[in-house]
């Protein structure tokens, strides 16, 4: 209830501001405020109002767990009382590692950012934007799963000593590269196509 | 007449007033439960039923479990064993004493002895409140507790009261809530398979007869062992005198023990020479030296484990040489301790310790703060510094311990290592096995990386802008 009392006025204020800039044709502030506001509101709603973050954690952990088994890594899926869904990495010479799927590993932040950026990107027609968004969100989820699999694989084959570097460097690098590809697909490529079409039309 | 009526009425009232007291006294009298064991040979009907897959029941002979069942099955009173109450039984439902003041302690485990439950010896009687419904489940210590699945031989079956199904080592009075009548006598009987001892040969009166013909000889056994030291041949055991042999008469009665290389005289007669069993060496062949010499030059063919001496061996005086060939006994799998992670909750990690093969093992785990034993293992004081270690026992399979250890969380991070030691004897040489558990609290370095990214992006944008100019 408290969350609703906070989020509703903020959402209303945000919506009015975005509409103002849209009406005024001030596209830069429209885009910046619209995208960032939507991202923050999405995160807030998914964590405190809807069980969105939980659903993302469950889905991520579930997919990572089954994909790990497919790769020959016998992980274990646990959900302790705190609600964090975890995967326990396979023992590597009598080492067991618990990988907690928190907000960072759930992909929620990236999903919310992508949602805001694509929804309020004005250069692409609305229908096309929504189709692109659907695929981009799915690809972001899969990219996050791949990031987790990199960490699971590093721990399973390299031991607990590999956890830190896998978590901080390798997993993040893989996700970063995949995200660049997703943004290229969802924003850059359609923008280049739109700009290119306009240039041709004006030529 | 009126006086008679009055007296009669008074007597009736007196009797009626006493009846509730008598009835109440009867109702308060506890029931008894006596634990017995039965030894059953191959010929017993319960063993015969068990080996063909049947399930002998407690009422096979018309009544709930009763001491007469033992003889009815063809068994006899059995060895001293111990019973205990399984986890899941109702607290304070069974007592060591008739006034019901000393309740028996129940195992914390529904699947075996936890090391602290009260042990009830066979032949012992315990007591329970008559008319009061409770769950009372029992198992026999020293045999793996099985619930609904048949226990392995030599355990045949356990019958308690009316419960005796499944040939398992878990039955109850009752398995679920059940009451017994006040003052009733109830029984639990464990049926154990025991091979019938072979009857000793009848003691014949020694016939008076002439001494057998022949000469007194000397007998000597020469031990040869196989060496895998590159020479790959049989070599005399050095020094001699390490192997023990047995001289028996024709009826198998042991007459004398002697060692290899020992020379002793033997009067004519019928004898059998065998080697005493040893765990270090396995007998490969045993025969009279073919060339009569003590060098035992001929390679053995194998398979003979006894030499029979008869009249032909006593025809000529002298020394009879026997050759015994041994190779190293096959070693079975070496037992070690295995440790696996089970779970982590509320700052406590649980490890599972179990032997890699059934063996007598002593186990220490100084980091352990709690322990639960299953399938016949015992915890002792596993966390103590060697004062009372945990135990695994040979002959009982699938034993394991759950050992708990605290773990401290620092935010998302935690790490704990556990080392357990084991030995084949309390003071024997110890092996050890370690395992570690870690939480994924690796620093994400989000802000530093973000700053680094901004810096790279800014430098890149500046460079592109300059190039465009």
């Amino acid at each position: 209830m408290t969350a609703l009392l906070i989020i509703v006025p903020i959402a209303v204020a945000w919506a009015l501001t975005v509409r103002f800039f849209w009406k005024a044709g001030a596209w830069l502030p429209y885009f910046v405020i619209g995208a960032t506001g939507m991202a923050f509101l999405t995160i807030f709603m998914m964590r405190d109002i809807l069980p969105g973050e939980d659903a993302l954690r469950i889905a991520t952990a579930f997919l990572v767990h089954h994909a790990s088994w497919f790769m020959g890594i016998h992980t274990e899926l646990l959900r302790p009382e705190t609600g964090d869904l975890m995967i326990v990495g396979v023992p590597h010479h009598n080492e067991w590692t618990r990988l907690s799927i928190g907000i960072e590993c759930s992909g929620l932040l990236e999903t919310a950012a992508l949602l805001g950026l694509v929804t309020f990107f004005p250069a692409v027609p609305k229908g096309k934007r929504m189709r692109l968004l659907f695929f981009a969100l799915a690809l972001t989820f899969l990219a996050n799963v791949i990031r987790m699999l990199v960490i699971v694989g590093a721990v399973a084959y390299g031991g607990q000593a590999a956890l830190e570097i896998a978590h901080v460097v390798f997993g993040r690098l893989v996700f970063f590269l995949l995200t660049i590809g997703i943004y290229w697909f969802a924003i850059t490529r359609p923008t280049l196509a739109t700009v290119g079409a306009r240039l041709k039309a004006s030529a | 007449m009126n006086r008679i009526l009055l007296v009669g009425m008074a007597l009736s009232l007196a009797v009626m007033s006493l009846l509730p007291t008598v009835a109440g006294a009867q109702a308060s009298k506890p029931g008894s439960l006596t634990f017995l064991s039965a030894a059953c040979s191959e010929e017993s009907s319960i063993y015969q039923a068990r080996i063909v897959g049947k399930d002998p029941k407690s009422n096979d002979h018309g009544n709930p479990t009763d001491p007469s069942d033992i003889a009815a099955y063809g068994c006899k009173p059995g060895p001293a064993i111990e019973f205990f109450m399984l986890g899941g039984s109702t607290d304070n439902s069974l007592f060591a004493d008739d006034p019901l003041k000393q309740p028996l302690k129940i195992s914390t485990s529904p699947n075996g002895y936890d090391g602290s439950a009260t042990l009830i010896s066979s032949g012992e009687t315990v007591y329970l409140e008559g008319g009061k419904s409770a769950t009372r489940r029992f198992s026999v210590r020293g045999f793996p507790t099985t619930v609904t699945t048949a226990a392995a031989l030599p355990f045949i079956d356990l019958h308690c009261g009316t419960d005796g199904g499944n040939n398992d080592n878990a039955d109850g009075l009752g398995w679920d809530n059940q009451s017994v009548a006040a003052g009733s006598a109830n029984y639990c009987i464990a049926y154990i398979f025991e091979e019938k001892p072979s009857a000793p040969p009848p003691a014949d009166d020694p016939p008076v007869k002439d001494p057998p013909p022949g000469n007194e000889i000397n007998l000597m056994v020469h031990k040869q062992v196989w060496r895998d030291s590159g020479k790959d041949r049989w070599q005399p055991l050095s020094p001699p005198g390490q192997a023990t042999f047995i001289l028996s008469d024709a009826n198998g009665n042991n007459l004398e023990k002697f060692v290899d290389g020992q020379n002793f005289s033997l009067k004519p007669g019928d004898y059998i020479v065998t080697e005493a069993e040893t765990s270090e060496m396995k007998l490969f062949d045993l025969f009279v030296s073919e060339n009569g010499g003590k060098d035992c030059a001929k390679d053995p063919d194998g398979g003979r484990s006894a030499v029979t001496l008869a009249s032909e061996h006593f025809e000529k005086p002298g020394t009879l040489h026997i050759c015994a060939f041994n190779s190293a006994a096959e070693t079975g799998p070496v037992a070690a301790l295995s440790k696996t992670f089970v779970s982590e909750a509320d700052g406590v990690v649980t490890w599972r310790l179990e032997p890699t093969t059934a063996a007598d093992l002593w186990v220490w785990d100084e980091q352990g703060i709690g322990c639960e034993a299953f399938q016949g293992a015992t915890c002792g004081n596993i966390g103590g510094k060697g004062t009372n270690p945990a135990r695994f026992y040979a002959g009982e399979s699938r034993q394991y311990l759950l050992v708990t250890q605290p773990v401290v969380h620092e935010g998302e991070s935690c790490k704990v290592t556990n080392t357990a030691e084991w030995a084949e004897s309390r003071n024997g040489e110890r092996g050890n096995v370690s395992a570690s558990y870690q939480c994924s609290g690796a620093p994400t370095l989000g802000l530093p990386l973000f700053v680094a990214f901004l810096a790279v992006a800014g430098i890149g944008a500046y460079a592109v802008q300059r190039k465009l100019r």
Side-chain angles (χ1 to χ4, degrees):
Chain A
M1 190 63 183
T2 311
L4 276 174
L5 290 174
I6 297 171
I7 195 67
V8 168
I10 292 174
V12 169
W14 166 79
L16 290 172
T17 308
V18 166
R19 190 170 190 278
F20 169 77
F21 285 119
W22 174 62
K23 281 283 192 184
W27 301 114
L28 185 59
Y30 161 80
F31 176 68
V32 170
I33 293 171
T36 53
M38 182 158 203
F40 278 110
L41 286 171
T42 301
I43 293 168
F44 192 95
M45 279 182 56
M46 295 269 272
R47 294 197 82 189
D48 295 308
I49 298 175
L50 301 172
E53 186 190 358
D54 220 22
L56 266 181
R57 281 183 182 168
I58 292 169
T60 303
F62 185 82
L63 208 57
V64 171
H65 171 61
H66 283 84
S68 297
W69 273 77
F70 186 74
M71 288 161 41
I73 302 171
H74 296 167
T75 54
E76 192 180 345
L77 200 59
L78 298 171
R79 182 161 194 160
E81 291 170 6
T82 57
D84 286 334
L85 197 61
M86 306 186 300
I87 297 174
V88 177
V90 171
H92 171 77
H93 298 307
N94 273 15
E95 296 171 343
W96 283 264
T97 305
R98 185 188 82 177
L99 303 177
S100 295
I101 311 291
I103 185 170
E104 281 200 24
C105 298
S106 65
L108 175 62
L109 302 177
E110 296 81 4
T111 300
L114 184 68
L115 184 68
L117 288 170
V118 175
T119 302
F120 285 89
F121 194 63
V124 180
K126 191 190 289 186
K128 189 176 181 182
R129 222 186 307 160
M130 289 302 110
R131 284 194 303 276
L132 284 172
L133 186 62
F134 175 78
F135 285 110
L137 289 176
L139 288 172
T140 301
F141 173 75
L142 287 174
N144 189 49
V145 169
I146 292 171
R147 169 173 67 170
M148 292 304 302
L149 285 173
V150 167
I151 299 170
V152 168
V155 173
Y157 294 108
Q160 287 176 342
L163 173 64
E164 199 159 320
I165 193 168
H167 195 184
V168 174
V169 178
F170 296 140
R172 197 167 262 147
L173 187 64
V174 165
F175 188 67
F176 179 68
L177 292 171
L178 290 171
T179 304
I180 287 176
I182 293 167
Y183 275 72
W184 169 268
F185 163 77
I187 298 176
T188 311
R189 194 174 65 98
T191 305
L192 288 174
T194 302
V195 169
R198 286 180 187 171
L199 285 173
K200 275 184 188 171
S202 64
Chain B
M1 189 56 127
N2 286 342
R3 278 186 198 168
I4 292 170
L5 278 172
L6 280 170
V7 168
M9 282 173 66
L11 278 172
S12 300
L13 280 169
V15 168
M16 284 168 65
S17 68
L18 281 172
L19 272 175
T21 308
V22 170
Q26 186 65 27
S28 67
K29 188 177 178 185
S32 67
L33 177 60
T34 303
F35 292 84
L36 302 171
S37 75
C40 308
S41 68
E42 289 176 346
E43 296 153 12
S44 63
S45 58
I46 192 172
Y47 176 80
Q48 290 295 321
R50 167 67 196 276
I51 60 169
V52 296
K54 291 184 180 174
D55 183 12
K57 296 283 196 297
S58 57
N59 61 350
D60 278 351
H61 302 100
N63 294 306
T65 306
D66 186 84
S68 63
D69 291 345
I70 296 176
Y73 277 129
C75 304
K76 58 182 171 62
I81 56 176
E82 293 170 317
F83 301 76
F84 63 95
M85 292 186 82
L86 280 169
S89 300
T90 306
D91 285 331
N92 301 321
S93 59
L94 208 60
F95 300 84
D97 59 335
D98 185 59
L100 308 182
K101 298 289 186 199
Q102 301 171 30
L104 302 189
K105 191 167 184 292
I106 299 168
S107 174
T108 54
S109 168
N111 296 307
Y113 186 65
D114 67 348
S116 65
T118 307
L119 291 170
I120 310 161
S121 301
S122 49
E124 190 176 336
T125 298
V126 296
Y127 302 89
L128 55 161
E129 190 174 344
K132 184 172 180 182
S133 190
T135 296
R136 303 177 188 91
R137 300 175 179 176
F138 306 101
S139 185
V140 179
R141 185 165 179 257
F143 299 91
T145 297
T146 58
V147 181
T148 73
T149 53
L153 291 172
F155 193 92
I156 297 176
D157 205 353
L158 176 64
H159 294 171
C160 283
T162 55
D163 188 6
N166 299 315
N167 297 332
D168 55 8
N169 183 15
D171 284 286
L173 183 78
W175 188 255
D176 298 307
N177 278 342
Q178 184 182 332
S179 63
V180 300
S184 62
N186 304 276
Y187 299 91
C188 273
I189 303 177
Y191 296 90
I192 315 291
F193 171 63
E194 203 172 85
E195 280 195 37
K196 202 173 179 181
S198 56
D204 293 329
D205 291 332
V208 176
K209 56 180 183 181
D210 295 330
N215 300 286
E216 187 170 320
I217 61 171
N218 291 320
L219 184 69
M220 185 182 291
V221 178
H222 304 274
K223 187 72 171 265
Q224 302 280 317
V225 292
W226 182 262
R227 300 289 185 199
D228 288 325
S229 56
K231 295 186 179 178
D232 290 344
R233 62 184 178 87
W234 297 98
Q235 299 173 54
L237 179 65
S238 178
Q242 299 179 53
T244 303
F245 295 87
I246 301 169
L247 182 74
S248 310
D249 64 16
N251 293 321
N253 300 312
N254 292 351
L255 301 175
E256 193 160 343
K257 282 188 180 177
F258 57 98
V259 295
D260 63 296
Q262 179 182 346
N263 197 347
F264 71 94
S265 61
L266 193 62
K267 287 186 168 52
D270 295 320
Y271 302 99
I272 300 170
V273 176
T274 55
E275 185 178 27
E277 279 196 24
T278 168
S279 60
E280 289 83 28
M281 303 294 283
K282 187 172 67 175
L283 182 66
F284 180 73
D285 207 350
L286 184 69
F287 54 88
V288 174
S289 171
E290 293 203 357
N291 62 4
K294 62 181 179 179
D295 54 358
C296 297
K298 184 183 182 300
D299 278 351
D301 296 323
R304 291 166 288 191
S305 60
V307 166
T308 303
L309 301 178
S311 56
E312 64 265 27
H313 296 103
F314 297 90
E315 288 176 354
K316 298 177 184 175
T319 302
L320 182 69
H321 298 279
I322 293 177
C323 304
F325 292 81
N326 288 71
S327 56
E330 289 173 2
T331 54
V334 177
L337 194 64
S338 156
K339 178 186 294 186
T340 49
F341 169 81
V342 176
S343 65
E344 187 254 323
D346 300 328
V348 175
V349 168
T350 301
W351 304 98
R352 176 177 171 132
L353 299 179
E354 57 191 322
T356 53
T357 184
D360 285 319
L361 292 182
W362 302 70
V363 179
W364 297 264
D365 190 331
E366 286 190 11
Q367 294 118 343
I369 57 169
C371 175
E372 200 174 348
F374 297 88
Q375 306 291 1
T378 56
C379 279
N381 182 18
I382 190 172
K385 291 190 181 295
T387 53
N388 186 16
R391 294 288 309 276
F392 292 116
Y393 300 90
E396 301 196 28
S397 60
R398 303 181 65 79
Q399 300 169 69
Y400 64 95
L401 304 171
L402 294 182
V403 177
T404 52
Q405 178 182 5
V407 57
V408 176
H409 285 256
E410 292 173 356
E412 284 285 326
S413 301
C414 74
K415 181 158 185 177
V416 66
T417 301
N418 182 277
T419 299
E421 295 178 301
W422 82 89
E424 293 180 354
S425 63
R426 182 188 271 275
N427 300 313
E429 190 179 341
R430 296 190 190 184
N432 64 73
V433 59
S434 293
S436 69
Y437 169 76
Q438 180 172 345
C439 308
S440 62
T444 56
L445 299 176
L447 190 58
L449 281 175
F450 181 66
V451 169
F453 172 74
L454 279 180
V456 168
I459 293 167
Y462 177 71
V464 167
Q465 197 177 23
R466 281 204 62 167
K467 200 150 179 89
L468 287 174
R469 281 186 199 157

